[in-house]
Amino acid sequence: MGEHLLTGMKPFREIYYKDCYYNALFPVLTYFNRPLTPFLLNDIFIYRYTPSSCVIKHDIVPIQGEKRILDRLGLWKKERRYSNDMLQLAMAALRLNRPVIVFVDCYYLPLRLDAYRKLHFPHFLLLFGCSSRNRTFRAMEHKYRDSFDYAEEDISIEDLHAAYSGAFREFQPPPELSTYSEYGILNESSGAQGSEQEYLWTYRQAMLEREEEIRAGLSQLRQFQCDMSAVMSDQEAIYREAGRLLDVSAVIFNNLRLEQYRLTRVFGPNPEWEQLGGVLDNWNFIRGILKKFMLTNVYQEKSFARAQERLEQIVTSEERMYEGLFALLHAMVRP
């Protein structure tokens, strides 16, 4: 009873999926031999633009709640907003072969070289082993925030307690956020309810129900492109808007990278979403010009003219991508 390890736990290294919770959850799903598809296809991206403030959002609209998805996968989740007995709960869960995810502050984790004693940073940490003899937990973790180099790491009980309690104290998470979660199989004979095709059908139905809204969002993206082109042609206007556009572009870039990844993984390679690679390149180009401008405060008319061209290409490519995606969805036959 001194040591216990959930053998076969493997990290998810393919992409940063929305936030670090999913990069901790996906290894749990594969450990229980469950598909990632229900989570990969659980979000719809919709543009919403407010012309009066020149602000565009790229909202993520979930199709189903996490509990519903886990139920369909034959899994359960026991969660707590906070527990003073987290260490004991985690050890007991792991000895029953139940992986654990906890909410921590990386400031207190020695293995996080980017944050330890330097930066308070919220994070979800996957635990899949423990040793009462060594007073350690085994975690799947990376040393740097933007790294996919996840590896098995030992964390002392004292450090984990400090990181867990410190996160609750430092970040005061909202009531709906669980700082402790453990996962298990609903019963010994339970398995994923539904085939991959049925999960795809759920996604198809949700997308078609919101098709008009998605297309309206693309029209708003086109309006944003026109308005931002005018801003980029005006030196005083770009001084005012550069920082905000840089922030917006970061969100859009991450969402589009996620969209390209999940469509390719689920539907396979397709020219329609492969062109999102060009969209990402164009956003990188625009972001580079904005960063240089904010660093130097030097307005280069030719550079922003090229940025306007790239922005127009972005909108055209996204419109074509969605035309292809909706054509595929309309043609799907129910399994």
Side-chain angles (χ1 to χ4, degrees):
M1 293 295 291
E3 298 184 6
H4 194 83
L5 185 68
L6 280 62
T7 57
M9 187 69 72
K10 297 180 180 179
F12 179 76
R13 295 192 175 105
E14 296 181 31
I15 195 173
Y16 183 74
Y17 197 88
K18 293 198 297 187
D19 63 47
C20 55
Y21 172 72
Y22 292 95
N23 282 65
L25 177 64
F26 286 178
V28 174
L29 298 182
T30 54
Y31 172 75
F32 287 121
N33 196 30
R34 299 308 197 260
L36 306 185
T37 305
F39 281 96
L40 293 177
L41 293 182
N42 193 50
D43 297 306
I44 297 174
F45 298 101
I46 301 177
Y47 286 104
R48 308 187 197 278
Y49 179 47
T50 306
S52 60
S53 57
C54 210
V55 172
I56 191 165
K57 296 181 179 180
H58 202 205
D59 291 342
I60 300 178
V61 181
I63 298 171
Q64 301 180 87
E66 182 186 26
K67 185 180 185 305
R68 169 60 179 151
I69 298 175
L70 291 175
D71 284 345
R72 291 185 69 183
L73 291 174
L75 301 176
W76 57 260
K77 174 183 178 181
K78 175 183 176 181
E79 53 190 327
R80 301 243 182 135
R81 181 167 187 262
Y82 183 78
S83 174
N84 289 319
D85 301 320
M86 181 276 293
L87 297 174
Q88 291 76 19
L89 285 174
M91 281 196 171
L94 292 167
R95 286 171 180 147
L96 293 172
N97 294 321
R98 300 172 181 171
V100 172
I101 297 176
V102 290
F103 182 65
V104 296
D105 183 351
C106 293
Y107 180 87
Y108 299 100
L109 292 178
L111 63 91
R112 283 301 296 261
L113 303 180
D114 57 345
Y116 183 57
R117 298 296 177 185
K118 294 183 288 187
L119 175 68
H120 290 281
F121 182 69
H123 184 53
F124 285 97
L125 184 68
L126 170 61
L127 306 177
F128 67 103
C130 61
S131 171
S132 56
R133 179 167 53 250
N134 297 329
R135 294 179 58 80
T136 58
F137 282 91
R138 181 66 60 86
M140 193 71 71
E141 183 58 324
H142 53 185
K143 292 181 171 62
Y144 299 96
R145 182 174 179 176
D146 297 323
S147 168
F148 293 118
D149 190 20
Y150 289 88
E152 298 181 11
E153 301 282 355
D154 287 326
I155 301 175
S156 74
I157 286 177
E158 293 78 13
D159 287 332
L160 182 60
H161 179 266
Y164 178 74
S165 58
F168 195 84
R169 180 178 62 253
E170 182 72 23
F171 305 114
Q172 300 179 359
E176 64 272 15
L177 188 146
S178 300
T179 64
Y180 172 90
S181 303
E182 62 184 71
Y183 305 81
I185 298 175
L186 285 172
N187 57 65
E188 290 302 322
S189 61
S190 70
Q193 300 172 17
S195 65
E196 291 278 328
Q197 287 300 314
E198 288 172 328
Y199 296 132
L200 284 175
W201 191 259
T202 299
Y203 169 74
R204 173 194 184 271
Q205 293 297 91
M207 284 288 289
L208 295 185
E209 287 172 5
R210 288 185 174 266
E211 181 175 359
E212 184 176 338
E213 189 177 1
I214 293 169
R215 290 186 182 278
L218 290 173
S219 296
Q220 293 178 35
L221 177 63
R222 174 66 71 180
Q223 184 178 356
F224 168 77
Q225 175 251 319
C226 294
D227 291 346
M228 281 311 305
S229 290
V231 168
M232 289 179 179
S233 300
D234 185 327
Q235 184 171 347
E236 291 185 6
I238 198 63
Y239 270 114
R240 295 192 307 268
E241 300 294 338
R244 183 161 54 181
L245 180 57
L246 194 59
D247 292 340
V248 165
S249 67
V251 174
I252 295 175
F253 181 89
N254 289 333
N255 288 348
L256 292 178
R257 183 170 56 180
L258 173 57
E259 182 75 294
Q260 184 188 41
Y261 166 79
R262 68 181 192 155
L263 290 177
T264 301
R265 174 164 176 148
V266 173
F267 293 104
N270 187 304
E272 302 296 346
W273 37 87
E274 285 176 2
Q275 66 184 315
L276 285 177
V279 173
L280 295 172
D281 288 342
N282 284 335
W283 270 121
N284 266 333
F285 180 87
I286 294 171
R287 286 173 55 77
I289 289 176
L290 289 170
K291 289 177 181 178
K292 183 177 180 180
F293 171 72
M294 293 182 68
L295 182 65
T296 64
N297 281 330
V298 176
Y299 179 83
Q300 295 183 340
E301 185 176 348
K302 290 183 178 180
S303 293
F304 279 103
R306 289 195 293 270
Q308 293 173 50
E309 295 171 359
R310 297 295 186 101
L311 190 56
E312 198 281 332
Q313 293 171 16
I314 285 171
V315 180
T316 300
S317 294
E318 282 210 61
E319 290 170 341
R320 290 174 179 167
M321 189 278 289
Y322 273 102
E323 285 296 333
L325 177 58
F326 278 119
L328 183 150
L329 295 176
H330 278 286
M332 280 180 61
V333 178
R334 187 176 186 117

